[in-house]
Amino acid sequence: MKVKVRILDVYSGRYSVFINEKEAMKAKLHPDDLVKLEAGKKTVYGSVVISSLVKEGEIGISRDVLQLHSFSEGEVVTVIPSGTPESVRYIKKKMNGGKLRKVEIETIIKDIVDRKLRDIEISSFVTSLEINGLDMDEIAALTIAMAETGDMLDIDRKPIMDVHSIGGVPGNKTNILVVPIVAAAGLTIPKTSSRAITSAAGTADVVEVFADVSFSLDEIKRIVEKIGACMVWGGALNLAPADDITIKSERALSIDPTGLMLASIMSKKYAMGSQYVLIDIPTGKGVKVESVDQARALARDFIELGKRLGQYVEVAITYGGQPIGHTVGPALEAREALQALMAGTGPGSLIEKATGLAGVLLEMGGVAPAGMGKKMAREILESGKAYQKMREIIEEQGGNPDIKPEDIPVGDKTYTFTAPTSGYITAIDNKAITGIARAAGAPEDKGAGIELYVKVGEKVKEGDPLFTIHAESEARLDQATVFARRTEPIRIEGMVLQRIGNI
């Protein structure tokens, strides 16, 4: 049937098209049916919503559908029932424990990107991967399909390095030091990063304190070919677009299938043209990977997948048992990272991890002899060359290269927790620290977060400050304070942990 477009100022979250009840009856359309809209060379898919918002002869287009294709008010489109995509049969095959062929995986991913699959079908696919898993053939096919259904970057500076942390550790501003160190050594490192999903600050959230992070691929190409590096938000790009869609199902279901995580990370590295990739797997209590054995198994998968994609991959298993540095939250972390770059030194955990990871990349890129990468990375940091490169990155990304740590505003509503007893710090709970920072408003409120004064193993006296919560409003500060009192973010114990007598 032919109808006129009516643009509705709503975000359905489901790529919906709105049809009048009488029009739907005539066309034998039902709620959630998949339809194809055609107008000239434009084709878009949407799920039917029966609604009185539109009249007969009209079709309502939600704002999320308009993000896929531009339609104008009153434009005539043809609406065609689409039927069940072939990819649904392949999803059922995986639900039943079958192995998917390359062409079947490509069809599923293309249908996800084209919006031929509805949310429930995408969730079924994600769940099938959680339950039945993927072998390496399937993971490689999934990775390439995810990359090739989006944009690809071609940079004329080789070799191209990349680094990615699978996350889980609060305060992980490490890459804000790693990227300028590596670029200052003459290597190329176009770093795309995510915003926080469940953490208090993603790398993109922290960098955004200094400079813009949303750029087109052409702009990234210009910046990187000029200065050898960037630190941008991957979500602003059309890189592996299926990943952004499947992540919504993962969040809703609170699952993270290993095969899909591998494909998610490596598809974006593949799309960025990365030739040498370093994967950081933080390991310890309260992070995604809690044991070294788990980390080693995951490392082998990353390395094997890299071989199949034509990428050289190395993995660093790092300590993730407590926050990195002394700050958690975008502005607080930005201050700490900038201070470390300017001074050439800083908190031991931050400097140790940053120079360790940068050193591996320098050796992978051939600019440092084997075993000498960390020493070279530290020299670049201490000499001020990394800070100068960071100034270039900030300037090229539209920020003020002269910014100083004290210029960065942080939340002025504060509350400091002190030690209730004397003893030793025996544990810092990563999840509790993240929860407190998020309750304070991070990452949306850039100035919100936590400043830590202690580390595991340190001795404290009763009344010594343990950490300060920063918030931008009294209400958020109260929420974070209540959350902190309900948890045990920092544990203090004596040297005698337990006394057991005769039974």
Side-chain angles (χ1 to χ4, degrees):
M1 63 180 180
K2 289 188 181 295
V3 289
K4 289 183 178 180
V5 167
R6 184 175 168 201
I7 296 172
L8 301 177
D9 193 19
V10 295
Y11 280 89
S12 67
R14 301 170 54 213
Y15 294 86
S16 299
V17 295
F18 296 76
I19 298 176
N20 181 277
E21 185 176 3
K22 290 182 180 177
E23 200 80 71
M25 286 176 67
K26 283 193 289 185
K28 293 183 171 55
L29 292 173
H30 306 94
D32 285 333
D33 277 358
L34 187 70
V35 293
K36 179 166 64 172
L37 275 58
E38 292 184 343
K41 293 183 179 179
K42 288 185 291 191
T43 300
V44 67
Y45 293 85
S47 295
V48 169
V49 173
I50 309 296
S51 173
S52 59
L53 288 173
V54 290
K55 302 173 185 175
E56 285 187 73
E58 293 181 336
I59 186 162
I61 304 290
S62 59
R63 291 285 176 187
D64 36 353
V65 173
L66 286 177
Q67 289 175 343
L68 299 176
H69 282 290
S70 58
F71 288 95
S72 55
E73 189 79 23
E75 182 177 358
V76 176
V77 298
T78 302
V79 180
I80 305 166
S82 183
T84 303
E86 182 71 7
S87 54
V88 171
R89 190 162 61 85
Y90 305 147
I91 292 171
K92 288 179 181 176
K93 178 180 176 181
K94 176 49 72 175
M95 289 170 71
N96 291 327
K99 176 174 176 172
L100 296 176
R101 294 181 296 127
K102 182 173 180 285
V103 67
E104 293 171 339
I105 290 171
E106 289 169 347
T107 303
I108 291 170
I109 296 303
K110 186 174 187 308
D111 284 355
I112 288 174
V113 173
D114 289 344
R115 299 291 173 178
K116 286 185 183 180
L117 290 174
R118 292 162 292 192
D119 289 349
I120 192 166
E121 291 156 346
I122 296 170
S123 295
S124 298
F125 177 57
V126 171
T127 304
S128 73
L129 303 188
E130 174 74 8
I131 294 170
N132 294 316
L134 294 165
D135 68 16
M136 193 51 69
D137 292 335
E138 292 172 303
I139 295 170
L142 181 62
T143 305
I144 293 169
M146 289 173 76
E148 292 184 345
T149 47
D151 293 334
M152 309 277 280
L153 184 65
D154 182 22
I155 293 172
D156 294 330
R157 284 180 60 144
K158 304 288 191 293
I160 296 174
M161 318 301 293
D162 212 334
V163 59
H164 180 89
S165 174
I166 70 166
V169 185
N172 193 10
K173 74 284 291 177
T174 315
N175 285 335
I176 296 172
L177 276 65
V178 172
V179 171
I181 290 172
V182 171
L187 295 172
T188 303
I189 182 162
K191 181 77 183 89
T192 62
S193 303
S194 62
R195 295 192 187 278
I197 298 173
T198 57
S199 69
T203 301
D205 298 309
V206 179
V207 175
E208 197 171 39
V209 173
F210 308 121
D212 295 336
V213 293
S214 296
F215 295 93
S216 69
L217 277 183
D218 286 341
E219 289 169 328
I220 290 170
K221 182 178 170 71
R222 179 194 64 76
I223 292 169
V224 175
E225 289 182 351
K226 182 178 179 182
I227 63 170
C230 68
M231 284 187 275
V232 300
W233 177 44
L237 305 167
N238 187 39
L239 298 176
D243 181 47
D244 297 322
I245 299 168
T246 55
I247 279 175
K248 291 177 184 175
S249 293
E250 292 178 69
R251 281 185 195 154
L253 297 164
S254 297
I255 58 176
D256 189 11
T258 300
L260 190 54
M261 180 192 72
L262 286 157
S264 168
I265 293 168
M266 295 300 286
S267 63
K268 291 187 175 177
K269 305 306 172 194
Y270 188 78
M272 289 296 288
S274 304
Q275 297 165 295
Y276 297 88
V277 180
L278 175 61
I279 301 293
D280 165 31
I281 304 180
T283 305
K285 189 175 180 182
V287 296
K288 290 180 181 178
V289 179
E290 296 206 342
S291 75
V292 172
D293 286 344
Q294 280 180 292
R296 285 179 178 147
L298 189 56
R300 287 192 290 270
D301 287 341
F302 271 113
I303 291 166
E304 175 60 26
L305 180 55
K307 286 178 183 176
R308 294 182 183 226
L309 300 174
Q311 295 170 310
Y312 179 76
V313 176
E314 286 196 22
V315 176
I317 298 173
T318 57
Y319 174 65
Q322 63 178 329
I324 296 167
H326 296 294
T327 59
V328 179
L332 288 161
E333 291 186 45
R335 272 187 171 187
E336 187 172 45
L338 186 59
Q339 181 62 47
L341 284 164
M342 291 178 72
T345 188
S349 56
L350 175 60
I351 301 303
E352 180 72 17
K353 183 168 182 177
T355 55
L357 294 178
V360 174
L361 285 163
L362 297 179
E363 292 178 24
M364 289 170 71
V367 296
M372 297 297 290
K374 185 177 179 181
K375 182 173 183 290
M376 182 177 177
R378 189 175 282 273
E379 288 171 356
I380 291 170
L381 178 65
E382 291 175 349
S383 70
K385 291 177 183 175
Y387 172 56
Q388 289 306 316
K389 181 58 67 173
M390 185 65 181
R391 285 172 54 87
E392 292 177 33
I393 293 169
I394 292 171
E395 186 168 23
E396 287 298 321
Q397 292 186 202
N400 175 14
D402 298 322
I403 191 170
K404 302 290 189 291
E406 57 269 23
D407 298 332
I408 299 170
V410 298
D412 59 353
K413 309 296 186 292
T414 63
Y415 186 89
T416 299
F417 279 77
T418 57
T421 183
S422 298
Y424 292 85
I425 306 297
T426 58
I428 297 178
D429 187 330
N430 283 329
K431 289 181 179 176
I433 293 294
T434 296
I436 295 165
R438 287 181 70 88
E444 290 80 8
D445 296 345
K446 296 287 189 191
I450 293 178
E451 196 167 359
L452 289 159
Y453 304 119
V454 295
K455 289 284 187 178
V456 172
E458 293 181 358
K459 186 177 182 179
V460 294
K461 295 177 183 176
E462 182 179 345
D464 284 352
L466 299 177
F467 63 93
T468 295
I469 301 172
H470 289 259
E472 295 182 2
S473 71
E474 292 289 354
R476 283 292 205 170
L477 180 64
D478 290 345
Q479 287 178 28
T481 304
V482 169
F483 188 99
R485 288 193 175 119
R486 286 177 179 166
T487 57
E488 189 184 16
I490 296 177
R491 185 179 303 159
I492 302 170
E493 296 176 303
M495 292 305 289
V496 177
L497 300 180
Q498 194 174 8
R499 177 178 174 180
I500 301 173
N502 290 326
I503 299 173

Coordinates of all heavy atoms in Angstrom, one line a residue, residues 94 122-135 138-139 142-143 146 166 242-243 245-266 288-289 298 301-302 305:
K94 N 21.3 -22.2 15.9 CA 22.3 -22.0 17.0 C 21.7 -22.3 18.3 O 22.3 -22.8 19.2 CB 22.9 -20.6 16.9 CG 23.8 -20.2 18.0 CD 24.9 -21.2 18.3 CE 26.0 -21.3 17.3 NZ 27.1 -22.2 17.7
I122 N 16.9 -10.7 18.1 CA 18.3 -10.4 18.4 C 18.7 -10.9 19.8 O 19.7 -11.5 20.0 CB 18.6 -8.9 18.4 CG1 18.4 -8.4 16.9 CG2 20.0 -8.5 18.8 CD1 18.4 -6.9 16.8
S123 N 17.8 -10.8 20.8 CA 18.0 -11.3 22.1 C 18.1 -12.8 22.1 O 18.9 -13.4 22.9 CB 16.9 -10.9 23.1 OG 16.9 -9.5 23.3
S124 N 17.3 -13.5 21.3 CA 17.4 -14.9 21.1 C 18.8 -15.3 20.6 O 19.4 -16.3 21.1 CB 16.3 -15.4 20.2 OG 15.0 -15.1 20.8
F125 N 19.3 -14.6 19.6 CA 20.6 -14.9 19.1 C 21.7 -14.7 20.1 O 22.5 -15.6 20.3 CB 20.9 -13.9 17.9 CG 22.2 -14.0 17.3 CD1 22.7 -15.3 16.8 CD2 23.1 -13.0 17.2 CE1 23.9 -15.4 16.2 CE2 24.3 -13.1 16.6 CZ 24.8 -14.3 16.1
V126 N 21.7 -13.6 20.9 CA 22.6 -13.3 21.9 C 22.6 -14.4 23.0 O 23.6 -15.0 23.4 CB 22.4 -12.0 22.5 CG1 23.3 -11.8 23.8 CG2 22.7 -10.9 21.5
T127 N 21.4 -14.8 23.4 CA 21.2 -15.9 24.4 C 21.7 -17.2 23.9 O 22.3 -18.0 24.7 CB 19.7 -16.0 24.8 OG1 19.2 -14.7 25.2 CG2 19.5 -17.0 25.9
S128 N 21.5 -17.5 22.6 CA 22.0 -18.8 22.1 C 23.5 -18.8 22.1 O 24.1 -19.9 22.3 CB 21.5 -19.0 20.6 OG 22.2 -18.1 19.7
L129 N 24.2 -17.7 21.9 CA 25.6 -17.6 22.0 C 26.1 -17.8 23.4 O 27.2 -18.4 23.7 CB 26.2 -16.3 21.5 CG 25.8 -15.9 20.0 CD1 26.5 -14.7 19.6 CD2 26.1 -17.1 19.1
E130 N 25.4 -17.3 24.4 CA 25.7 -17.5 25.8 C 25.6 -18.9 26.2 O 26.5 -19.5 26.9 CB 24.8 -16.6 26.7 CG 24.9 -16.8 28.2 CD 26.2 -16.2 28.8 OE1 26.9 -15.5 28.0 OE2 26.5 -16.5 29.9
I131 N 24.6 -19.6 25.7 CA 24.3 -21.0 26.1 C 25.1 -22.0 25.4 O 25.8 -22.9 26.0 CB 22.8 -21.3 26.0 CG1 22.0 -20.5 26.9 CG2 22.5 -22.8 26.2 CD1 20.5 -20.5 26.7
N132 N 25.2 -21.8 24.1 CA 25.9 -22.8 23.2 C 27.3 -22.4 22.7 O 28.0 -23.3 22.2 CB 25.0 -23.2 22.0 CG 23.7 -23.8 22.4 OD1 23.7 -24.7 23.3 ND2 22.6 -23.4 21.9
G133 N 27.6 -21.2 22.9 CA 29.0 -20.7 22.5 C 29.2 -20.7 21.0 O 28.4 -21.0 20.2
L134 N 30.5 -20.3 20.7 CA 30.9 -20.3 19.3 C 32.3 -20.9 19.2 O 33.1 -20.6 20.2 CB 31.0 -18.8 18.8 CG 29.7 -18.0 18.7 CD1 30.1 -16.5 18.5 CD2 28.9 -18.5 17.4
D135 N 32.6 -21.6 18.2 CA 34.0 -22.1 18.0 C 34.8 -21.0 17.3 O 34.2 -20.0 16.9 CB 34.1 -23.4 17.3 CG 33.6 -23.4 15.9 OD1 33.5 -22.4 15.3 OD2 33.4 -24.5 15.3
E138 N 33.5 -19.8 13.8 CA 32.4 -19.0 13.9 C 32.7 -17.6 14.4 O 32.2 -16.5 13.9 CB 31.3 -19.6 14.9 CG 30.7 -20.9 14.4 CD 29.8 -21.5 15.4 OE1 30.3 -21.8 16.5 OE2 28.6 -21.7 15.1
I139 N 33.6 -17.5 15.4 CA 34.0 -16.2 16.0 C 34.7 -15.3 14.9 O 34.5 -14.1 14.7 CB 35.0 -16.4 17.2 CG1 34.2 -17.0 18.3 CG2 35.5 -15.0 17.6 CD1 35.1 -17.5 19.5
L142 N 32.1 -14.1 12.4 CA 31.3 -13.1 13.1 C 32.1 -11.8 13.2 O 31.5 -10.7 12.9 CB 31.0 -13.6 14.5 CG 30.1 -12.6 15.4 CD1 28.7 -12.4 14.7 CD2 29.9 -13.2 16.8
T143 N 33.4 -11.8 13.5 CA 34.2 -10.6 13.6 C 34.2 -9.9 12.2 O 34.0 -8.7 12.2 CB 35.6 -11.0 14.1 OG1 35.5 -11.7 15.3 CG2 36.5 -9.7 14.2
M146 N 30.8 -8.4 11.2 CA 30.5 -7.2 12.0 C 31.3 -6.0 11.5 O 30.8 -4.9 11.4 CB 30.8 -7.5 13.5 CG 29.8 -8.4 14.2 SD 30.3 -8.9 15.9 CE 29.8 -7.4 16.7
I166 N 39.8 -5.0 28.5 CA 38.5 -5.5 28.6 C 37.7 -4.9 29.8 O 36.6 -5.2 30.0 CB 38.5 -7.0 28.6 CG1 39.0 -7.6 29.9 CG2 39.2 -7.6 27.4 CD1 38.7 -9.1 30.1
A242 N 26.6 -3.6 14.1 CA 25.9 -4.6 14.8 C 26.2 -4.8 16.2 O 25.4 -5.2 17.1 CB 26.1 -6.0 14.0
D243 N 27.5 -4.4 16.6 CA 27.9 -4.5 18.0 C 27.1 -3.6 18.9 O 26.7 -4.0 20.0 CB 29.4 -4.1 18.1 CG 29.9 -4.2 19.5 OD1 29.7 -5.2 20.1 OD2 30.6 -3.3 19.9
I245 N 24.1 -2.7 18.5 CA 22.8 -3.2 18.6 C 22.7 -4.4 19.6 O 21.9 -4.5 20.4 CB 22.2 -3.6 17.2 CG1 22.2 -2.3 16.3 CG2 20.8 -4.2 17.4 CD1 21.9 -2.7 14.9
T246 N 23.7 -5.3 19.4 CA 23.7 -6.5 20.3 C 24.0 -6.2 21.7 O 23.5 -6.9 22.6 CB 24.7 -7.6 19.8 OG1 26.0 -7.0 19.7 CG2 24.3 -8.1 18.4
I247 N 24.8 -5.1 21.9 CA 25.1 -4.7 23.3 C 23.8 -4.4 24.1 O 23.8 -4.7 25.3 CB 26.1 -3.5 23.3 CG1 27.5 -4.0 23.1 CG2 26.0 -2.7 24.6 CD1 28.5 -2.9 22.9
K248 N 22.8 -3.8 23.5 CA 21.6 -3.5 24.2 C 20.9 -4.8 24.7 O 20.4 -4.8 25.8 CB 20.6 -2.8 23.2 CG 21.1 -1.4 22.8 CD 20.1 -0.8 21.8 CE 20.6 0.6 21.4 NZ 19.7 1.2 20.3
S249 N 21.0 -5.9 23.9 CA 20.4 -7.1 24.4 C 21.3 -7.7 25.6 O 20.8 -8.2 26.5 CB 20.3 -8.1 23.3 OG 19.4 -7.7 22.3
E250 N 22.6 -7.6 25.4 CA 23.5 -8.0 26.5 C 23.2 -7.3 27.8 O 23.2 -7.9 28.9 CB 25.0 -7.8 26.1 CG 25.4 -8.7 24.9 CD 26.8 -8.4 24.5 OE1 27.7 -8.8 25.3 OE2 27.0 -7.9 23.4
R251 N 23.1 -6.0 27.7 CA 22.8 -5.2 28.9 C 21.5 -5.7 29.6 O 21.4 -5.9 30.8 CB 22.7 -3.7 28.6 CG 24.0 -3.0 28.4 CD 23.8 -1.6 28.2 NE 24.9 -0.9 27.7 CZ 24.9 0.2 27.0 NH1 23.7 0.7 26.7 NH2 26.0 0.8 26.5
A252 N 20.4 -5.8 28.7 CA 19.1 -6.1 29.2 C 19.1 -7.5 29.9 O 18.4 -7.7 30.9 CB 18.1 -6.1 28.1
L253 N 19.9 -8.4 29.3 CA 19.9 -9.8 29.9 C 21.0 -10.0 30.9 O 21.1 -11.1 31.5 CB 20.1 -10.8 28.7 CG 19.0 -10.8 27.6 CD1 19.4 -11.5 26.4 CD2 17.8 -11.5 28.2
S254 N 21.9 -9.0 31.1 CA 23.1 -9.1 32.0 C 23.9 -10.3 31.6 O 24.4 -11.1 32.5 CB 22.6 -9.2 33.4 OG 21.9 -8.0 33.8
I255 N 24.2 -10.5 30.3 CA 25.1 -11.5 29.9 C 26.1 -10.9 28.9 O 25.9 -9.9 28.4 CB 24.3 -12.7 29.1 CG1 23.5 -12.2 27.9 CG2 23.4 -13.4 30.1 CD1 22.9 -13.3 27.1
D256 N 27.3 -11.6 28.8 CA 28.3 -11.2 27.9 C 29.0 -12.4 27.3 O 30.1 -12.8 27.8 CB 29.3 -10.3 28.7 CG 30.4 -9.6 27.9 OD1 30.2 -9.6 26.6 OD2 31.4 -9.1 28.4
P257 N 28.4 -13.0 26.3 CA 29.0 -14.2 25.7 C 30.4 -14.0 25.2 O 30.7 -13.0 24.6 CB 28.0 -14.5 24.5 CG 26.8 -13.8 24.8 CD 27.2 -12.6 25.6
T258 N 31.3 -15.0 25.6 CA 32.7 -14.8 25.3 C 33.0 -14.6 23.8 O 33.7 -13.7 23.4 CB 33.5 -16.0 25.8 OG1 33.3 -16.1 27.3 CG2 35.0 -15.9 25.6
G259 N 32.3 -15.4 23.0 CA 32.6 -15.3 21.5 C 32.1 -14.0 21.0 O 32.8 -13.4 20.1
L260 N 31.0 -13.5 21.5 CA 30.5 -12.2 21.1 C 31.4 -11.0 21.6 O 31.7 -10.0 20.9 CB 29.1 -12.0 21.5 CG 28.3 -10.8 21.0 CD1 28.3 -10.8 19.5 CD2 26.9 -10.8 21.5
M261 N 32.0 -11.2 22.8 CA 32.9 -10.2 23.3 C 34.2 -10.1 22.5 O 34.7 -9.0 22.1 CB 33.3 -10.5 24.8 CG 34.3 -9.5 25.4 SD 35.0 -10.0 26.9 CE 36.1 -11.3 26.4
L262 N 34.7 -11.3 22.1 CA 35.9 -11.3 21.2 C 35.6 -10.6 19.9 O 36.4 -9.8 19.4 CB 36.3 -12.8 21.0 CG 37.0 -13.5 22.2 CD1 36.9 -15.0 22.0 CD2 38.5 -13.1 22.2
A263 N 34.5 -11.0 19.3 CA 34.1 -10.4 18.0 C 33.9 -8.9 18.1 O 34.3 -8.1 17.2 CB 32.9 -11.1 17.4
S264 N 33.3 -8.5 19.2 CA 33.0 -7.1 19.4 C 34.3 -6.2 19.5 O 34.4 -5.2 18.8 CB 32.2 -6.9 20.7 OG 32.1 -5.6 21.1
I265 N 35.2 -6.7 20.3 CA 36.5 -6.0 20.4 C 37.3 -6.0 19.1 O 37.7 -5.0 18.6 CB 37.3 -6.6 21.6 CG1 36.6 -6.3 22.9 CG2 38.7 -6.0 21.6 CD1 37.2 -7.1 24.1
M266 N 37.5 -7.2 18.5 CA 38.4 -7.3 17.4 C 37.8 -6.8 16.1 O 38.5 -6.4 15.2 CB 38.8 -8.8 17.3 CG 39.6 -9.3 18.5 SD 41.1 -8.4 18.7 CE 42.1 -9.0 17.3
K288 N 36.0 -8.5 35.6 CA 35.4 -9.5 34.7 C 36.1 -10.8 34.7 O 35.4 -11.9 34.6 CB 35.4 -8.9 33.3 CG 34.5 -7.7 33.0 CD 34.6 -7.3 31.6 CE 33.7 -6.1 31.4 NZ 33.8 -5.5 30.0
V289 N 37.4 -10.8 34.8 CA 38.2 -12.1 34.8 C 38.8 -12.2 36.2 O 39.7 -11.4 36.5 CB 39.2 -12.1 33.7 CG1 40.0 -13.4 33.7 CG2 38.5 -12.0 32.3
L298 N 41.4 -16.9 27.8 CA 40.9 -15.8 27.0 C 42.0 -15.2 26.1 O 41.8 -14.9 24.9 CB 40.3 -14.7 27.9 CG 39.6 -13.6 27.3 CD1 38.4 -14.1 26.4 CD2 39.0 -12.6 28.3
D301 N 42.5 -17.2 23.0 CA 41.5 -17.0 22.0 C 41.7 -15.7 21.3 O 41.5 -15.6 20.1 CB 40.1 -16.9 22.7 CG 39.6 -18.2 23.2 OD1 40.1 -19.3 22.7 OD2 38.7 -18.3 24.1
F302 N 42.2 -14.6 22.0 CA 42.5 -13.4 21.3 C 43.6 -13.5 20.3 O 43.5 -13.0 19.2 CB 42.8 -12.3 22.3 CG 41.7 -11.5 22.9 CD1 41.3 -11.6 24.2 CD2 41.0 -10.6 22.0 CE1 40.2 -10.9 24.7 CE2 39.9 -9.9 22.5 CZ 39.5 -10.0 23.9
L305 N 42.4 -15.6 17.3 CA 41.5 -14.8 16.4 C 42.3 -13.8 15.6 O 42.0 -13.6 14.4 CB 40.4 -14.1 17.3 CG 39.4 -13.2 16.6 CD1 38.7 -14.0 15.5 CD2 38.4 -12.6 17.6

